[in-house]
Amino acid sequence: MSFILISLFTAFIILIVFFSKSSANPRTKSLNTQTDLIILSREHLKEQNEFLELPFSQINFDAGESNLSKSNLIQLQELIECLIFIPDNSYVRIQGLADATGSKNRELAKARATNVYTFLISKGIPKDRLRLKKPIVLNATTGIERKKYRSVTFELVSEPV
């Protein structure tokens, strides 16, 4: 009985070693760089005529704030990882929103969008892949609506080829 278990264990080890060596074979085509992944993903999207979905459509800000918070930065990092793979004929629209309470809301909405735009560019996203839209100030009747309107929205858009 123990001989059978030892034999099975040995066969298992041999299989693991065999497969690990075959994947390390330099003749085996593998994707070793992020560039290879980006090129393949873009080509796949072009071939499939599909568009990548963004991981979220907006990030929120505190009332009266335009600076990026720690949670905003975490979300934007996730967005950056996604934007690397967008097709060549597309871009992301960025639009700042503000609720109608308080003063200078349009400037606040613009500052929010500009901060996001600047951050994305500083992290390597090309300017030609991003578009800033005119900021919007929206009337809100509830606290939930006001919170929703204190944001920057993102939309993936295809350019005509």
Side-chain angles (χ1 to χ4, degrees):
M1 177 74 166
S2 63
F3 177 76
I4 294 172
L5 288 175
I6 293 172
S7 298
L8 287 173
F9 180 75
T10 305
F12 180 73
I13 297 296
I14 291 170
L15 285 173
I16 289 174
V17 170
F18 174 78
F19 281 111
S20 66
K21 284 187 179 182
S22 66
S23 65
N25 185 346
R27 286 185 243 153
T28 305
K29 177 139 176 70
S30 63
L31 299 175
N32 295 322
T33 66
Q34 189 175 10
T35 306
D36 292 337
L37 290 172
I38 293 168
I39 291 168
L40 285 177
S41 296
R42 283 189 179 160
E43 291 305 315
H44 172 73
L45 288 169
K46 285 179 190 176
E47 288 172 10
Q48 301 299 317
N49 198 20
E50 295 174 1
F51 280 96
L52 185 66
E53 286 188 24
L54 299 177
F56 49 85
S57 62
Q58 73 181 40
I59 60 172
N60 296 312
F61 290 79
D62 291 331
E65 289 293 320
S66 63
N67 294 328
L68 297 171
S69 68
K70 188 174 183 175
S71 64
N72 292 146
L73 295 175
I74 291 169
Q75 283 183 293
L76 289 173
Q77 187 58 43
E78 187 178 335
L79 180 65
I80 288 167
E81 291 169 12
C82 182
L83 293 181
I84 291 171
F85 296 102
I86 65 174
D88 291 335
N89 66 336
S90 61
Y91 60 93
V92 175
R93 283 189 196 150
I94 301 170
Q95 185 170 38
L97 305 176
D99 64 46
T101 58
S103 62
K104 297 185 180 182
N105 294 330
R106 191 167 307 281
E107 293 85 6
L108 185 58
K110 183 177 181 179
R112 288 172 177 159
T114 302
N115 286 344
V116 168
Y117 176 82
T118 304
F119 178 79
L120 293 174
I121 290 171
S122 76
K123 295 300 181 183
I125 302 299
K127 287 181 185 180
D128 64 337
R129 308 312 298 277
L130 305 171
R131 305 284 192 283
L132 276 173
K133 282 185 75 177
K134 185 177 178 181
I136 297 178
V137 175
L138 300 163
N139 287 324
T141 57
T142 68
I144 293 172
E145 285 179 333
R146 283 191 289 276
K147 186 175 182 177
K148 179 181 174 186
Y149 296 156
R150 293 187 292 254
S151 63
V152 170
T153 62
F154 305 94
E155 181 182 10
L156 187 60
V157 179
S158 173
E159 291 180 322
V161 180

